[in-house]
Amino acid sequence: LAALVVYEDAPELSVAILHQAVEHIPMALDPYAPEGIYPEGPSYWFYATTYLTAVLSAFESALGTDFGFTGFPGVMESATFSQVMAGPSGEYYNFFDSGLGGFQSLAHFGLLSWFAQRSGSGFDWVAYGSLVERELNKMQQLKSTRFYPLHFLNLALMGEETQGEFTWPETWSGGGEEPIVIIRDRQNSPDAFFLAAKGGRAADNHGNMDAGSFVFELDGVRWSIDPGNQNYNTLEQIMGGALWNSAQNSRRWSLLTKNSGGHSTLVVNGEMHLANARVPLVRRELRGSVPQFTFDLSALYGDNVRSARRTFSRLTGTRLGICDELVFSPETRSLTWQLITRADLNLDGGVVELQQDGATLFLRISSAAPFKVKVISLSPPPLPYDKDIDGLKRLEIHWKREDFQGDSATLDIELDKKPF
């Protein structure tokens, strides 16, 4: 931006800097590919995309071109990612080092207006008007945010041609380094159905051992949660550079927010996931009445299983199905299905009743093999410097390999607001 400003006074230096920018900006666009999922999560999408939209706006106004950068795979699609990743509660799926907030904030609407001008994508003018009215009533409390002037300039440039409404997709998915699937209600009312689940790799930037994990909202409650990010500076004072070491034996994986014990996923033999294993999205079934998405979890467990696949299905308007299909190896000893939640839990045989904020959810376990159900309190957390989330607990469902006949197992878990 500075090189553009001083171009007339220092053309040779400015040209050299601008050439470097145009040559290297594509490296920063790779993470958006192929379908708009920003692999470090929604919070880092805001961070990167604010700078990206600023420089592309400057190129367009000063040079009359964006050098084709808006045409790179996933760049324009990422605006949809920034919307569908928030549940009906307005909180984001806060995987990796993302926070819960930012959805439909002034910064978000400013960025969405930038995309809407260039793609004709829908824009929620009603929600934006309500936000502005609220913010005007508390201007003295407004916190600073990167490039507020740019956000407002984008909004001021909006025309009537960009006034189409954003339509919530009932299913949405994207590949790339961190494949994610979404199943939700088109109306997106506060009590709506919302599932977000992911694959990916723990050793990626800002990564956690969360492949196969999910968040789930229904009746206005987020029943399955992600523990989310934690203050870097505080952890660096305790752990130093180990916080950023993604090797399997790193102290990073001792943290509740980072290891597989802090996420709603599947654990084999009680061992942490392999940090360098990558979990792909291998199936999207959207043609029938029951939408399904399948992740291949096999790499997470090394030699402990021959294969493991997890399928998420919306069985009815309020019922979520999670099916884990495993083929055992000689090393398989135990399986543990995990749910991270803040709900109060009542155990009754093969059904678990969850209660939170006046709502109730039922979890049913379908298994021919015997199992045990345990509740592990995570507040206070295992380590004194772990993130403490009030009421946090881990629901564990345990199976022993020896109790299964044959070399395979199918674990079916269903969650519904209606009793089974």
Side-chain angles (χ1 to χ4, degrees), residues 2-4 6-21:
L4 289 172
V6 302
Y7 176 81
E8 286 81 5
D9 298 318
E12 291 185 7
L13 178 60
S14 296
V15 165
I17 291 171
L18 290 168
H19 272 297
Q20 290 182 26

Side-chain angles (χ1 to χ4, degrees), residues 368-371 399-405:
F371 56 87
W399 290 266
K400 293 181 180 179
R401 160 66 183 94
E402 62 197 49
D403 291 328
F404 290 92
Q405 297 181 355

Side-chain angles (χ1 to χ4, degrees), residues 82-88 90-93 103 168 184 188 194:
S82 78
Q83 298 187 78
V84 299
M85 289 294 291
E91 294 183 338
Y92 272 118
Y93 176 22
F103 175 68
W168 294 98
R184 65 187 310 148
N188 201 45
F194 175 76

Side-chain angles (χ1 to χ4, degrees), residues 322-324 364-367 399 410-414:
I322 303 171
C323 178
D324 293 326
R364 181 171 66 179
I365 307 156
S366 298
S367 172
W399 290 266
T410 298
L411 313 177
D412 280 312
I413 309 292
E414 295 181 4

